[in-house]
Amino acid sequence: MALSTSRAINHIMKPLSAAVCATRRLSSDSTATITVETSLPFTSHNVDPPSRSVETSPMELMTFFKDMTEMRRMEIAADSLYKAKLIRGFCHLYDGQEAVAVGMEAAITKKDCIITAYRDHCIFLGRGGTLVESFAELMGRRDGCSRGKGGSMHFYKKESGFYGGHGIVGAQVPLGIGLAFAQKYKKEDYVTFAMYGDGAANQGQLFEALNMAALWDLPAILVCENNHYGMGTAEWRAAKSPAYYKRGDYVPGLRVDGMDVFAVKQACAFAKQHALKNGPIILEMDTYRYHGHSMSDPGSTYRTRDEISGVRQERDPVERIRSLILAHNIATEAELKDIEKENRKVVDEAIAKAKESPMPDPSELFTNVYVKGFGVEAYGADRKELRATLP
């Protein structure tokens, strides 16, 4: 499940919510096996692709729908908060790409690590973070997941294996390989997903890190979220070979329909088993963002509105799950609409609570900079005047 199991089930079974009707009707067979086929076949490089047949259940389908609609509502609300100047600085939204976050979580555990770039809000939510922590961080409040000091690009939840949220393009990939090195060094049966965008795919540090991962057979999975535009530059203008899943050369890869949550789930489960036995693998998620690169980008100067609406109509990840639920008579259209209404209410309540959180104390400027207990001393520019001894 993308969000914590208890949160997802509690929201689905919440009294007075129409979602309870769907769950009640499922009661005895909510875990019954349903086999679906991925929308597109996997394209592979130096590895046999996984099966297109994926097993799911009515409960998982309902949870996917609830989680993805909650993520989307959070991002739409963040857009409004930014325009109201309650969120400042950089802000990169994830709406359209929800299937990657949700499908990945369905295939792994919180002991597996994830590290990503600055489009991180929904990844954090999938790792078990809360809406209040998310909105508080976006607004620079003390109750944020990084105590209001990280903002949009620096969400973090170490206890659930989420290591950020990084603002420097591509810089998180070597850190992810370091996490995988630690997992192998400790002889753990877990993996690290190091995520990056197509705009970072030409970074030299990515190839250096991948080389080390391959030399040492580290349990690393490099996930390229290819939304086809690095800022406002189309992939074909920036990369001579935009087949990013082949970029590892000696490292195998898979191209995955990143708008299909079941394709993502299947690919990530396959990649985890491969990485534990054989070392690194690259997953290229063919996905799409509906918003611009960031809130300063309208997203319509380098692509047409018809292109955006075409993806929404033909490939939207939420609508795919909605169609499956309706096709299997798991819930009615009205019940799904009620889940979406409930999500709007939950998001609005989280925003109200986040607004009540105070700003960080000014003294927090000096915390989380140096390791404590080493008696670090701060001097003036001339090195003569001792200004402070840090704890």
Side-chain angles (χ1 to χ4, degrees):
M1 297 182 183
L3 308 186
S4 64
T5 304
S6 59
R7 282 180 60 208
I9 293 177
N10 284 342
H11 279 304
I12 290 173
M13 302 188 72
K14 189 174 181 180
L16 304 181
S17 168
V20 73
C21 301
T23 306
R24 186 182 298 122
R25 189 166 66 248
L26 295 172
S27 62
S28 62
D29 62 347
S30 63
T31 58
T33 299
I34 298 173
T35 302
V36 298
E37 189 171 84
T38 61
S39 55
L40 295 171
F42 299 101
T43 309
S44 63
H45 169 69
N46 286 345
V47 69
D48 292 330
S51 169
R52 291 182 64 184
S53 295
V54 187
E55 290 188 351
T56 185
S57 68
M59 182 62 77
E60 184 177 63
L61 280 164
M62 294 297 293
T63 302
F64 283 175
F65 182 82
K66 187 264 171 193
D67 289 353
M68 285 198 286
T69 52
E70 182 176 300
M71 288 176 176
R72 183 161 299 180
R73 188 64 198 170
M74 177 181 72
E75 296 295 67
I76 291 171
D79 173 283
S80 298
L81 290 170
Y82 194 95
K83 290 172 180 173
K85 297 187 178 180
L86 290 169
I87 298 173
R88 309 303 290 263
F90 293 106
C91 185
H92 306 80
L93 302 181
Y94 201 74
D95 50 318
Q97 300 182 205
E98 299 92 348
V100 177
V102 172
M104 183 168 57
E105 286 294 345
I108 62 177
T109 73
K110 297 299 187 291
K111 294 290 186 181
D112 297 304
C113 298
I114 299 177
I115 189 168
T116 190
Y118 36 75
R119 207 176 300 278
D120 59 351
H121 311 159
C122 294
I123 305 295
F124 170 77
L125 206 63
R127 291 268 86 182
T130 68
L131 288 167
V132 173
E133 289 175 311
S134 301
F135 285 117
E137 190 60 42
L138 286 167
M139 292 188 280
R141 308 301 177 103
R142 192 183 299 172
D143 290 338
C145 58
S146 298
R147 300 176 188 172
K149 302 197 313 183
S152 170
M153 299 194 292
H154 300 288
F155 281 32
Y156 197 79
K157 193 174 178 62
K158 182 181 178 181
E159 65 272 21
S160 295
F162 181 53
Y163 290 85
H166 294 265
I168 304 300
V169 175
Q172 72 279 5
V173 177
L175 298 178
I177 300 307
L179 291 169
F181 179 89
Q183 288 168 326
K184 183 162 186 174
Y185 187 82
K186 295 176 182 178
K187 296 181 171 58
E188 298 174 343
D189 287 328
Y190 307 118
V191 299
T192 293
F193 289 78
M195 306 177 73
Y196 58 99
D198 52 289
N202 297 316
Q203 285 273 323
Q205 58 188 325
L206 188 154
F207 292 95
E208 291 182 60
L210 181 60
N211 182 60
M212 287 188 281
L215 280 172
W216 300 328
D217 295 327
L218 301 183
I221 299 164
L222 277 70
V223 181
C224 177
E225 290 185 284
N226 181 8
N227 59 31
H228 303 285
Y229 296 95
M231 296 186 71
T233 304
E235 57 180 344
W236 59 268
R237 294 180 60 201
K240 183 64 176 176
S241 172
Y244 299 111
Y245 69 102
K246 294 182 180 179
R247 286 288 196 88
D249 188 15
Y250 41 82
V251 173
L254 280 179
R255 182 176 174 87
V256 183
D257 182 359
M259 305 293 272
D260 179 353
V261 67
F262 291 109
V264 176
K265 173 187 171 183
Q266 186 82 328
C268 288
F270 174 85
K272 178 176 178 177
Q273 292 306 312
H274 174 94
L276 288 171
K277 295 177 183 177
N278 306 302
I281 185 171
I282 297 173
L283 299 180
E284 178 189 345
M285 301 293 180
D286 178 9
T287 186
Y288 198 83
R289 56 171 165 80
Y290 295 148
H291 267 85
H293 170 73
S294 68
M295 285 301 298
S296 62
D297 167 26
S300 57
T301 57
Y302 48 86
R303 57 183 183 174
T304 65
R305 296 191 183 278
D306 287 344
E307 177 184 310
I308 300 169
S309 62
V311 174
R312 282 185 180 274
Q313 292 171 13
E314 297 175 14
R315 301 183 64 207
D316 186 83
V318 174
E319 295 308 313
R320 282 182 172 179
I321 292 299
R322 188 194 305 273
S323 296
L324 276 171
I325 290 171
L326 295 175
H328 287 87
N329 296 314
I330 296 168
T332 66
E333 183 68 57
E335 288 165 348
L336 296 181
K337 288 288 185 184
D338 284 341
I339 291 175
E340 292 177 286
K341 289 179 184 177
E342 179 70 20
N343 280 338
R344 290 191 191 96
K345 179 182 176 183
V346 169
V347 167
D348 289 344
E349 290 172 351
I351 292 171
K353 189 170 182 180
K355 286 179 179 178
E356 295 173 359
S357 177
M359 295 292 182
D361 189 270
S363 65
E364 285 291 315
L365 281 171
F366 303 100
T367 62
N368 310 120
V369 178
Y370 299 103
V371 176
K372 291 184 178 180
F374 283 84
V376 178
E377 296 176 328
Y379 287 84
D382 58 5
R383 295 287 298 168
K384 293 179 180 179
E385 180 186 356
L386 178 63
R387 299 288 179 84
T389 300
L390 303 180

